[in-house]
């Protein structure tokens, strides 16, 4: 499925380390993580609670700064950039899906999906609306576009969040427990949508999950234990 | 389920990065549009209503006051010469010398003469004994020179601009005098011994000037009816004016040729507007201060609302950062949002401000000149800008953390942005307020002082209140509280500063209202009450020696017992220890820049006390003078100083050899200067006395006035009524602003409430799933806000008692009787008001089904 011409690694890290102060004791959450993910790959990171998965995801996406080591995202060395420059990298095509869906309560489903497109400002307003409408229809919510988040169920909210993440055809999509709060049927629905995106538009998928079946659908799997990352050979 | 969502045209083409900070597609213009779009979407949720209301209040009040002041000031400046009524005006307290007139004629200047003095006018209609104090103005045939004189012959026809004053035997009067005298056009009135026909009503007199400080209604008559009448004996309080019009050259020439006596003066507009200032300026100051309170409270509500808004947008802001927005962009987007709200508030506020200033001006209608010009653009700008300044000063510091939020928050909910340090925040707000106050008062030092002093006081009070809350907490802890009380107190206890702040805002507002209410109802009443019932209420002035005996016998025939008779002479200070007054720094002191009414030191008046020197020597003479001690201090005069005076054209010198303290509040004659009897004997003098006129004896006064037209009777009962109505109007205007202040305090409370609604909703829903009834939750809310209201009322009452006691006993020197029934009324009213508003505001926390709440 992978287009051979974009084989360049779209995400990599070397010796990525995160140390935080817990009380006055330094606590190393990530220990020299090396990772190399090609464009269009789907990757799962599994591991026990508290092992450092979310921390790693945050660093890979440039949401946080590492204590040591390097991250390269879409060809940019994130460790050399400040917050705003990292934001500029994200603007080029990075999207997120989170466990708690982070929809804006004051905006309708449609407006929530329109937001990243509006922020990137690459399309005319009319097109943005049409595109958001199309994306919502794509996740099966075509009839619910004027509903507010509190009028939607958890699964429906997560689907809106997915539609929002799909907006603008991201090159890398990070997801932290995207099905964590959902029942298995709904979760499966979300998974299907995720992998469709991955396949159809060659989006790199980085998933943090507890869900073994979800992990199993990914091309590669990593296991995090106490801050140490190891690839699980399938 | 399948989707074709991603199989269509790829819209998104990442732009190449130009410079490390570039975000594709989203320029400044894009930010602006996005901010507006987000705002419109959020506005639907009512999120910003309170912020908008707070801003509208701030803008309404500040713009209203700004417009009000601007219009007054413009009225002073506009058509300076119209207000002067001439190109050049000379004033004299004695008859205008003939040389002036011939001089003016020789230079071919157009001229007019006026003379003004206070006098009692009586209705001559049969069976109508009404009388009133009036400001008489006699004008010659040259009047008016400039400006407008709008007069109507019939009350239902609008006035026309006249080029001449009233004819001999006629009088034009101000509309309110018609009411005071219960008379109408075509009836007759008497002024002195003249009987005059009311032939017109003066609607506007642009050179009136006196309108501002002289509360008596105008009676305009012809020069000939007054100039030769007995009304103007020596020593009567007459001001003669010569009005001139001509080329600048000729006027200069005229000015150069004139030799002015000390009692004569060229008038410029400055004098007029300075004179108007006192009461109006005072009113303006009070209004500005009260307005400032409303603006401060509204600003606090702005700060709280914006902070809440920012907090609720932490997630969104973090999310937008994951979309690739930079800190600066987020900051600008939210700043723009504030700005949009500001614009909307400015539009609404401007409209309301217009009504506010109209209301203020109509309340103060008697004090302000007619036909005010519209306010300047600058006044609008200043008012509207101050709204924005308050928005930015109080809002922006809370937007800053919003931009600084880490995008990692999307993964780790507990991450909070580093807030600005408290000091920065307060310094910013304080600077903003000082700036605003500066604009209001145009006095930088005062503003800084008020702000620093004010915030220090507030800090102390806030600390005190928190202390009280801690003490109450200790007391309550030892008790077994009911559920309602426990939850109520828990809310207050949780954020002590917020609770203390609300109590403070309410109690300060209530306190000011109490104090003003007290002053309004009590000040004059108390003062009148404090005077013995037979205190003289009528002054008889300008009693000529030849009238003296017959007046006294007429008085005793009427059953009137006059107080002591004082010989008086108006005189002017000309030199101090041999130095001409014009060369001294004190020359501009108001108290010496006019005729001083002086008496002879035959005896010490009742309310006087000798505080320095030797009164016996002053009485014995020769050539001594006794000074009122405050005046002496103000002018820096000491015992032994030699003062030179001119009275009735005679120059003489006297030595200060005693100082007296004087009780000005007593209604007996008081004098700054009292001359040794030997000096007085060498001067032409008139007499002054006062007497008590019982209410039912008005007819006696009328007879005296008719019998002695040359004597000026000053009925202080009129003055007191006038003063009372003046005070009433000013306090009414201030109360209007105080209503805005109260609205500000309510907005502060509502915005504090709103910050906790989320938490209350969840708590209420949880409690209800646990089986608590709506009734129980509602009772707990009533207890909470009732407690706040009760505390606020008690603090307000305590503060008002202290302030009133200080004002009454310290400053005003009148007995203080306490707030009395206010103690019974205020607490329940406040508890009901605040409890009611609070519970109403939170009713959704009870009425929403728990499931819906917990889902959000
Ligand atoms: N800034 C920080 N300060 C202190 N401790 C931190 C910080 N960030 C993360 N940790 C700790 O590091 C550990 C790893 O956290 P992380 O959120 O990455 O775990 P996780 O693998 O995502 O767990 P879960 O599956 O429960 O989400 C946790 O014990 C967490 O408490
Ligand atoms: Mg995690």
């Amino acid at each position: 499925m992978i287009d051979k011409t974009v084989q360049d690694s779209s995400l990599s890290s070397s010796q990525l380390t995160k140390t935080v102060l817990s009380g006055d004791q330094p606590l190393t959450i990530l220990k020299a993580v090396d990772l190399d993910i090609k464009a269009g790959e789907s990757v799962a990171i599994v591991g026990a609670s508290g092992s450092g998965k979310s921390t790693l995801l945050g660093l890979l996406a440039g949401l946080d700064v590492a204590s040591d080591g390097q991250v390269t995202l879409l060809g940019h060395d994130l460790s050399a950039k400040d917050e705003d420059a990292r934001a500029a990298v994200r603007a080029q095509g990075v999207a997120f899906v989170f466990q708690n869906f982070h929809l804006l309560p004051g905006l309708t489903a449609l407006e929530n999906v329109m937001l990243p497109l509006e922020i990137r400002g690459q399309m005319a307003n009319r097109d943005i609306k049409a595109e958001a409408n199309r994306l919502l229809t794509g996740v099966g919510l075509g009839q619910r576009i004027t509903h507010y988040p509190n009028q939607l169920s958890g699964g429906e909210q997560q689907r809106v969040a997915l539609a929002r993440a799909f907006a603008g055809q991201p090159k890398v999509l990070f997801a932290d427990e995207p099905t964590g709060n959902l029942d298995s049927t709904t979760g499966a629905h979300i998974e299907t949508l995720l992998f469709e995106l991955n396949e159809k538009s060659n989006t790199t998928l980085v998933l943090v999950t507890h869900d073994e079946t979800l992990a199993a659908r990914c091309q590669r799997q990593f296991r995090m234990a106490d801050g140490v990352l190891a690839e699980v050979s399938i | 389920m399948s989707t074709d969502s991603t199989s269509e045209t790829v819209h998104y083409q990442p732009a190449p990065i130009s410079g490390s900070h570039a975000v594709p597609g989203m320029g400044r213009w894009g930010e602006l549009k996005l901010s507006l779009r987000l705002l419109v979407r959020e506005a639907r949720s009512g999120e910003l209503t309170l912020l908008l209301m707070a801003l509208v209040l701030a803008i309404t009040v500040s713009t209203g006051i700004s417009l009000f002041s601007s219009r007054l000031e413009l009225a002073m400046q506009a058509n300076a010469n119209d207000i002067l009524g001439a190109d050049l005006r000379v004033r004299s307290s004695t008859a205008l010398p003939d040389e002036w007139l011939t001089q003016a004629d020789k230079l071919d200047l157009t001229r007019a003469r006026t003379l003004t003095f206070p006098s009692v006018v009586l209705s001559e209609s049969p069976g109508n004994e009404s009388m009133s104090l009036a400001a008489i103005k006699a004008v010659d045939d040259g009047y008016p020179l400039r400006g407008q004189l709008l007069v109507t012959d019939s009350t239902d026809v609008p006035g026309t601009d006249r080029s001449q004053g009233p004819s001999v035997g006629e009088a034009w009067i101000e509309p309110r005098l018609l009411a005071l005298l219960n008379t109408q056009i075509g009836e007759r009135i008497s002024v002195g011994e003249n009987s005059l026909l009311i032939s017109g009503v003066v609607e506007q007199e642009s050179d009136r000037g006196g309108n501002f400080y002289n509360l008596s209604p105008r009676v305009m008559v012809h020069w000939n009816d007054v100039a030769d009448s007995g009304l103007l004996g020596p020593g009567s309080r007459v001001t003669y004016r010569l009005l001139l019009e001509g080329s600048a050259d000729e006027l200069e020439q005229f000015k150069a040729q004139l030799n002015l006596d000390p009692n004569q003066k060229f008038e410029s507009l400055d004098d007029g507007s300075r004179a108007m200032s006192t009461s109006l300026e005072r009113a303006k100051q009070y209004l500005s201060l009260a307005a400032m309170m409303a603006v401060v409270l509204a600003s606090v509500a702005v700060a709280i609302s914006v902070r809440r808004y920012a907090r609720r947008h932490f997630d969104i802001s973090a999310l937008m950062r994951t979309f690739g927005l930079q800190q600066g962009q987020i900051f600008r987007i939210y700043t723009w949002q504030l700005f949009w709200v500001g614009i909307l508030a400015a539009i609404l506020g401007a409209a309301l401000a217009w009504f506010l200033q109209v209301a203020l001006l109509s309340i103060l209608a008697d004090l302000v000149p007619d036909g005010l010009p519209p306010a300047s653009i600058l006044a609008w700008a200043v008012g509207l800008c101050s709204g924005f300044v308050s928005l930015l000063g109080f809002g922006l510091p809370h937007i800053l953390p919003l931009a600084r939020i880490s995008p990692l928050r999307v993964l780790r909910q507990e991450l909070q942005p580093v807030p600005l340090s408290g000091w920065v925040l307060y310094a910013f707000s304080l600077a903003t307020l000082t700036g605003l106050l500066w604009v209001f008062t145009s006095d930088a030092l005062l503003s800084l002082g008020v702000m620093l002093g004010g915030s220090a006081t507030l800090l102390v009070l806030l600390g005190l209140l928190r202390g009280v809350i801690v003490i109450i907490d200790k007391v309550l802890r030892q008790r077994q509280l009911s559920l309602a009380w426990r939850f109520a107190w828990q809310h207050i206890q949780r954020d002590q500063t917020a609770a203390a702040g609300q109590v403070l805002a309410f109690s300060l507002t209530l306190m000011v209202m109490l104090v003003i209410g007290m002053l309004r109802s009590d000040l004059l009443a108390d003062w009148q009450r404090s005077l013995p019932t037979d205190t003289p209420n009528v002054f008889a002035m300008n009693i000529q020696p030849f009238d003296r005996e017959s007046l006294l016998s007429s008085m005793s025939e009427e059953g009137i017992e006059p107080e002591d008779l004082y010989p008086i002479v108006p005189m002017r200070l000309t030199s101090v220890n041999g130095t001409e007054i014009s060369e001294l720094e004190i020359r501009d002191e108001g108290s010496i820049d006019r005729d001083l009414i002086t008496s002879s030191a035959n005896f010490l008046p009742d309310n006087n006390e000798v505080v320095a020197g030797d009164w016996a020597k002053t009485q014995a003479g020769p050539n001594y003078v006794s000074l009122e001690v405050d005046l002496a201090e103000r002018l820096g005069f000491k015992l032994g100083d030699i003062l030179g005076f001119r009275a009735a054209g005679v120059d003489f010198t006297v030595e200060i050899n005693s100082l007296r303290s004087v009780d000005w509040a007593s209604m007996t004659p008081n004098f700054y200067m009292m001359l040794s009897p030997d000096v007085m004997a060498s001067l032409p003098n008139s007499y002054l006395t006062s007497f008590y006129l019982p209410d039912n004896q008005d007819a006696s006064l009328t007879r005296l006035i008719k019998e002695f037209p040359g004597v000026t009777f000053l009925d202080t009962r009129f003055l007191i009524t006038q003063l009372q109505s003046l005070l009433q109007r000013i306090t009414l205007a201030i109360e209007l602003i105080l209503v805005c202040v109260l609205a500000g305090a309510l907005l502060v409370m509502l915005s504090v409430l709103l910050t906790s609604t989320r938490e209350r909703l969840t708590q209420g829903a949880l409690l209800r799933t646990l089986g608590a009834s709506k009734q129980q939750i509602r009772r707990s809310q009533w207890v909470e806000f009732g407690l706040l209201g009760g505390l606020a009322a008690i603090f307000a009452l305590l503060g008002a008692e202290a302030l009133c006691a200080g004002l009454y006993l310290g400053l005003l020197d009148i007995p203080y009787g306490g707030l009395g029934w206010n103690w019974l009324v205020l607490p329940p009213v406040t508890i009901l008001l605040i409890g009611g508003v609070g519970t109403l505001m939170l009713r959704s926390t009870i009425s929403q089904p728990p499931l819906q709440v917990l889902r959000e």
Side-chain angles (χ1 to χ4, degrees), chain B residues 615-627:
Chain B
W615 173 257
K617 252 171 103 184
T618 317
Q619 273 189 317
N623 296 337
Y624 288 126
V625 64
S626 165
L627 253 65

Side-chain angles (χ1 to χ4, degrees), chain B residues 778-809:
Chain B
R778 193 174 299 131
R779 200 179 309 138
S780 134
Q781 290 174 351
W782 263 105
V783 171
E784 179 184 347
F785 299 112
L787 266 174
L788 287 185
L791 277 177
I794 289 171
F795 274 98
L797 286 162
L798 287 175
E801 286 279 9
L803 212 66
C804 283
L807 271 177
Y808 281 44
L809 302 175

Side-chain angles (χ1 to χ4, degrees), chain B residues 447-479:
Chain B
S447 313
L448 199 67
V450 166
M451 248 28 251
L452 289 182
S455 39
T457 318
L458 284 185
L459 228 64
V460 170
L461 288 177
L462 209 63
L464 220 83
L465 269 172
R466 284 192 57 167
V468 171
I469 292 180
V470 168
I471 291 171
I472 297 179
D473 189 47
K474 284 226 174 85
V475 174
L476 288 184
R477 243 168 234 279
Q478 290 159 2
R479 268 156 229 254

Side-chain angles (χ1 to χ4, degrees), chain A residues 20 29 48-55 177 210, chain B residues 412:
Chain A
V20 293
I29 316 171
S49 181
S51 54
K53 306 181 297 290
S54 298
T55 308
E177 311 269 14
H210 278 120
Chain B
R412 295 171 47 88

Side-chain angles (χ1 to χ4, degrees), chain A residues 191-204:
Chain A
E191 278 170 41
T192 313
L193 291 170
L194 271 174
F195 286 104
E196 265 179 27
L197 176 77
N198 166 240
E199 285 167 21
K200 290 195 175 150
S201 49
N202 203 28
T203 298
T204 310

Side-chain angles (χ1 to χ4, degrees), chain A residues 83 91-92 134 168 196 200, chain B residues 3 5 12 17 37 321:
Chain A
E83 211 334 277
Q92 285 181 53
R134 193 180 60 83
E196 265 179 27
K200 290 195 175 150
Chain B
T3 170
S5 64
Y12 177 70
I17 295 191
R37 212 171 307 140
R321 295 284 291 282

